[in-house]
């Protein structure tokens, strides 16, 4: 079994269970076409925790985040952020919540017709009465935070994949959100920059008391940043608990995931050929 | 038995797709008009800066082609009218025919069709590629309404630029007629000019502008709508641009018929 660097885990239960959850996901079901992607997800997330969502590729992690910011309407179930139902609330109500939510998309989703600085400054320019000069300073601050100082006037097309991710993170942080959703923030980054992102997340968590929800595959960063972890498998939550509980868990899928074991069933060649003919 | 069932099924599906499409287009139009006409009264400013940028883009992109085509159309109409009027020895009335047909019909229609091809497709391509790159989702997630943010400025810009381009097309079309009259029909330019001024009524000119105003709404909304409903990558964007042009030209001609009938029966 691999040995993970130990981090003292504050007893989560005493620290946050007393308060109401800031995000409630209640029996969330969703389907694309005939295929059910999420099959009844129920999770409570608390203010000022870093919550990591794990799961293999294609299991619906991005889909879950898209529901959290109200981009998709669930086929059944509810998502409440600060008590507001993201699927059915009036637009004004939802926007009030979203202004204090930052979202880093898996594909960065920068506005390709705008410079990096315009991308980061856009929410400030549209939602606040700040002067352009102030917006510029705040934009610089956010770009410094993600290590992109000096790239103000670059177009997204001129950035590398990892730089796009970081620029998008700066944009997600522009409005100083209470809640930050990150879809694979360090995928495709070199280990040094990825570690930088992890430390940035820790800093945001400690200094700004943000609630941070991260989707990631990097087990090393999970053990560094997470307060609690949920593991999705085939559209359901198979595990949800603190890091210590994750390490102790005997659930076979949790063990397989943590020990990075491949799926076992290797079909014999005859059935495989038959399945190809189909 | 089977083929008939399939044909009936296909027709039924086609019908429902059509109804569904019209419904979506209706809701889209409603949302845009709401953001454009109602929300400004509730303290949300329109994005005039963005609208101005779009005006420059649309105007600059389309001006050369509009100027050239409307001049040529003026020439053509003059020749076609002269061909018929010569038999009655009334070539001077070429000026009347050119002035009236250009201002009432041809300038607004040709300009709208050219701009639909030039800028309607560009709107569809731009918004479509934003959709594919999740940029529309990013706007939504930032509490910025894509319709207010993208569609309203483009619609406003189109509603201002298209009538302006139509006025230019009116002038160039009449100028085309004048050139033909002077060069090959031996009409002096003063006579042609006076004849035009006598023939042209304000209502001809105004009815053309009213049409072009509505054509502008069609071009912007159809382009944006097709962009918003792109599915499936770069190929989808390509399809959306073509569909946008075909649909907006179809709707422009349909609207043209309705307005022409209306103006014909009322003024
Ligand atoms: N727009 C869509 N239409 C149809 N199916 C979709 C759509 N978006 C996602 N899916 C399906 O939903 C499932 C989950 O996709 P999702 O992007 O949420 O996975 P993920 O867990 O984020 O994977 P990854 O780790 O690779 O990013 C996939 O099987 C995918 O095929
Ligand atoms: Mg994903």
């Amino acid at each position: 079994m691999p040995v993970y660097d130990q981090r003292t885990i504050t007893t989560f239960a005493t620290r946050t269970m007393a308060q109401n959850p800031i995000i409630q996901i209640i029996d969330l079901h969703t389907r694309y076409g005939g295929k059910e992607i999420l099959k009844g997800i129920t999770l409570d997330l608390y203010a000022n925790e870093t919550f990591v969502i794990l799961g293999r590729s294609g299991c619906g992690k991005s889909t879950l985040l898209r529901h959290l910011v109200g981009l998709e309407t669930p086929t059944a179930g509810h998502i409440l952020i600060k008590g507001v139902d993201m699927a059915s609330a009036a637009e004004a109500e939802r926007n009030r919540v979203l202004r204090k939510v930052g979202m880093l998309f898996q594909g960065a989703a920068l506005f390709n017709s705008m410079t990096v600085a315009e991308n980061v400054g856009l929410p400030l320019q549209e939602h606040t009465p700040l002067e352009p000069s102030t917006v510029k300073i705040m934009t610089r601050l956010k770009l410094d935070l993600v290590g992109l100082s000096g790239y103000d006037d670059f177009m997204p097309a001129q950035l590398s994949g990892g730089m796009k991710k970081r620029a998008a993170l700066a944009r997600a942080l522009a409005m100083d959100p209470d809640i930050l959703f990150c879809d694979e923030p360090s995928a495709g980054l070199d280990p040094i920059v990825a570690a930088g992102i992890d430390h940035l997340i820790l800093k945001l968590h400690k200094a700004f008391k943000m609630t941070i929800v991260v989707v990631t595959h990097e087990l090393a960063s999970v053990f560094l940043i997470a307060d609690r972890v949920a593991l999705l498998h085939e559209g359901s939550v198979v595990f949800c608990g603190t890091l210590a509980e994750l390490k102790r868990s005997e659930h076979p899928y949790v063990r397989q995931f943590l020990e990075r074991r491949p799926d076992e069933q290797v079909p014999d060649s005859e059935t495989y050929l038959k399945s190809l003919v189909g | 038995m089977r083929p008939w069932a399939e044909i009936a099924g296909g027709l039924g599906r086609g019908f429902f797709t059509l109804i569904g499409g019209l419904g979506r287009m209706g809701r889209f139009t409603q949302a845009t008009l709401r953001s454009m006409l109602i929300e400004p009264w509730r303290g949300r400013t329109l994005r005039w800066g963005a609208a101005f940028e779009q005006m420059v883009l649309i105007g600059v992109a389309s001006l050369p082609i509009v100027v050239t085509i409307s001049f040529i159309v003026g020439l053509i109409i003059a020749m076609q009218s002269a061909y018929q009027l010569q038999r009655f020895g009334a070539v001077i009335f070429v000026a009347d025919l050119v002035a009236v047909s250009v201002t009432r019909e041809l300038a607004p229609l040709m300009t709208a069709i050219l701009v639909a091809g030039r800028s309607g497709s560009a709107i569809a391509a731009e918004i479509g590629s934003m959709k594919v790159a999740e940029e529309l989702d990013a706007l939504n997630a930032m509490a910025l309404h894509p319709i207010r943010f993208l569609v309203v400025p483009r619609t406003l810009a189109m509603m201002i630029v298209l009538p302006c381009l139509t006025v230019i097309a009116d002038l160039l079309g009449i100028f085309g007629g004048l050139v033909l009259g002077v060069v090959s029909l031996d009409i002096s330019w003063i006579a042609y000019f006076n004849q035009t001024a006598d023939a042209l009524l304000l209502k001809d000119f105004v009815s053309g502008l009213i049409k072009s105003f509505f054509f502008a709404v069609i071009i912007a909304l159809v382009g944006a709508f097709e962009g918003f409903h792109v599915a499936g990558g770069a190929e989808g964007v390509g399809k959306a641009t073509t569909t946008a042009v075909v649909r907006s030209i179809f709707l422009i001609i349909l609207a043209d018929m309705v307005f022409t009938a209306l103006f014909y029966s009322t003024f």
Side-chain angles (χ1 to χ4, degrees):
Chain A
M1 238 180 87
V3 181
Y4 302 110
D5 60 330
Q6 287 293 321
R7 194 164 76 94
T8 45
I9 298 147
T10 48
T11 47
F12 177 80
T14 54
R15 188 159 53 82
T16 44
M17 286 306 182
Q19 59 191 77
N20 289 328
I22 190 169
I23 301 173
Q24 288 170 279
I25 305 171
I26 305 163
D27 196 28
L28 182 73
H29 289 261
T30 198
R31 53 171 70 242
Y32 282 124
K35 193 169 148 222
E36 189 155 43
I37 307 292
L38 301 176
K39 301 170 187 162
I41 305 254
T42 302
L43 287 171
D44 282 347
L45 278 63
Y46 295 87
N48 191 24
E49 71 170 325
T50 303
F51 192 91
V52 171
I53 299 173
L54 294 172
R56 66 200 302 176
S57 188
C59 74
K61 304 178 300 293
S62 299
T63 308
L64 179 60
L65 285 195
R66 292 172 59 81
H67 278 84
L68 287 175
V69 290
L71 291 174
E72 312 274 349
T73 318
T75 35
H78 298 278
I79 285 172
L80 306 181
I81 297 187
K82 300 177 187 167
V84 174
D85 189 323
M86 295 309 279
S88 65
E91 196 195 320
E93 184 82 343
R94 188 172 61 214
N95 284 348
R96 190 176 54 74
V97 173
L98 283 178
R99 270 176 217 195
K100 280 296 183 183
V101 170
M103 168 86 168
L104 168 60
F105 284 82
Q106 188 167 6
L110 292 171
F111 302 117
N112 283 312
S113 60
M114 300 182 187
T115 65
V116 169
E118 284 166 351
N119 264 282
V120 178
L122 182 73
L124 293 168
Q125 186 198 320
E126 293 294 320
H127 289 314
T128 65
L130 296 173
E131 294 292 316
S133 54
T134 321
V135 169
K136 201 167 175 179
I137 294 170
M138 300 197 49
T139 304
R140 291 245 164 90
L141 283 174
K142 301 298 173 194
L143 285 174
D144 287 351
L145 205 58
V146 298
L148 279 182
S149 17
Y151 286 96
D152 303 44
D153 295 327
F154 278 58
M155 298 305 281
Q158 296 169 297
L159 300 182
S160 76
M163 288 156 87
K164 279 185 197 157
K165 251 327 191 355
R166 284 184 281 154
L169 181 58
R171 185 178 68 182
L173 292 171
M175 293 285 288
D176 296 320
D178 307 332
I179 303 175
L180 177 66
F181 296 119
C182 296
D183 200 344
E184 306 200 9
S186 45
L189 299 186
D190 64 83
I192 299 171
V193 176
I197 298 278
D198 287 345
H199 283 98
L200 176 61
I201 287 175
L202 283 174
K203 183 165 134 195
L204 294 169
H205 171 64
K206 292 222 178 73
F208 301 102
K209 307 271 177 250
M210 263 181 217
T211 309
I212 304 176
V213 181
V214 183
V215 168
T216 184
H217 294 300
E218 312 281 326
L219 288 177
S221 87
V222 175
F223 285 97
L224 185 64
I225 62 176
D227 290 322
R228 284 199 305 152
V229 178
L231 179 62
L232 300 191
H233 183 49
E234 289 174 354
S236 312
V237 179
V238 295
F239 171 86
C240 176
T242 62
L243 269 185
E245 286 164 359
L246 181 75
K247 284 180 204 168
R248 281 199 309 268
S249 171
E250 295 296 326
H251 192 288
Y253 188 70
V254 174
R255 295 261 56 96
Q256 184 188 358
F257 205 91
L258 292 184
E259 289 157 21
R260 309 183 56 172
R261 271 187 282 114
D263 281 337
E264 261 147 32
Q265 84 293 19
V266 182
D268 66 291
S269 51
E270 199 172 324
T271 31
Y272 178 64
L273 283 178
K274 273 190 189 141
S275 78
L276 286 183
V277 177
Chain B
M1 211 52 218
R2 280 288 282 288
W4 289 112
E6 263 168 37
I7 291 172
L11 282 177
R13 265 196 301 281
F15 179 73
F16 282 112
T17 316
L18 181 71
I19 296 293
L22 287 179
R24 277 204 301 273
M25 182 77 204
R27 280 194 297 280
F28 187 80
T29 308
Q30 192 193 350
T32 308
L33 293 182
R34 197 187 137 77
S35 299
M36 202 154 68
L37 304 174
I38 299 175
E39 285 182 3
W41 301 101
R42 301 196 178 152
R44 284 206 179 170
T45 48
L46 288 171
R47 302 180 67 246
W48 279 109
F52 187 75
E53 269 170 38
Q54 289 294 324
M55 281 161 63
V56 174
L57 281 176
I58 298 167
V60 169
S62 307
L63 190 61
I65 186 85
V66 166
V67 164
T68 321
I69 296 286
S70 46
F71 177 76
I72 295 174
V73 166
L75 282 178
I76 294 172
I77 296 301
M79 285 188 265
Q80 296 285 27
S81 327
Y83 169 72
Q84 300 189 59
L85 290 169
Q86 260 164 353
R87 285 187 285 175
F88 308 107
V91 281
I92 186 65
F93 289 106
V94 166
D96 299 51
L97 274 176
V98 168
V100 172
S101 51
V102 164
T103 53
R104 282 186 79 106
E105 182 60 47
L106 290 164
L109 185 66
M110 292 305 296
T111 311
I113 288 177
L114 290 172
V115 171
R118 198 79 175 71
S119 302
S121 59
I123 291 175
E126 193 189 1
I127 294 183
S129 27
M130 292 185 75
K131 157 104 188 201
V132 170
E134 285 190 311
E135 291 177 40
L136 299 184
D137 292 333
L139 280 175
N140 269 319
M142 289 180 189
L144 295 174
H145 199 307
I147 287 190
R148 192 176 78 84
F149 195 80
L150 296 170
V151 184
V152 170
R154 283 162 179 75
T155 312
L156 282 176
M158 197 60 91
M159 279 161 49
I160 293 169
V161 170
L162 195 66
C164 294
L165 287 172
T166 302
V167 172
I168 295 172
D170 283 341
L171 296 177
L172 263 296
I174 290 172
F175 179 66
L178 184 142
V179 168
L180 189 100
V182 171
V183 171
S184 83
L185 302 178
D186 289 329
I187 305 172
S188 80
W189 72 267
I190 300 232
Y192 192 98
F193 183 84
N194 287 337
Q195 188 70 22
T196 302
D198 282 346
L200 207 55
L201 300 175
L202 187 63
K203 70 177 190 191
D204 297 328
F205 181 73
V206 170
S207 69
L209 286 190
I210 293 175
K211 278 184 189 176
S212 82
F213 187 77
F214 284 93
F215 295 165
V217 178
I218 292 176
I219 295 171
L221 285 184
V222 171
F225 178 82
E226 295 301 330
F228 265 78
H229 292 88
V230 163
E235 190 198 350
V237 177
K239 263 190 212 152
T241 52
T242 321
T243 318
V245 175
V246 174
R247 292 212 175 138
S248 51
I249 290 179
F250 176 76
L251 287 178
I252 284 167
I253 291 180
L254 210 64
D256 191 16
M257 186 188 74
V258 172
F259 278 111
T260 307
L262 209 68
F263 294 140
Y264 176 68
S265 57
T266 51
F267 319 99

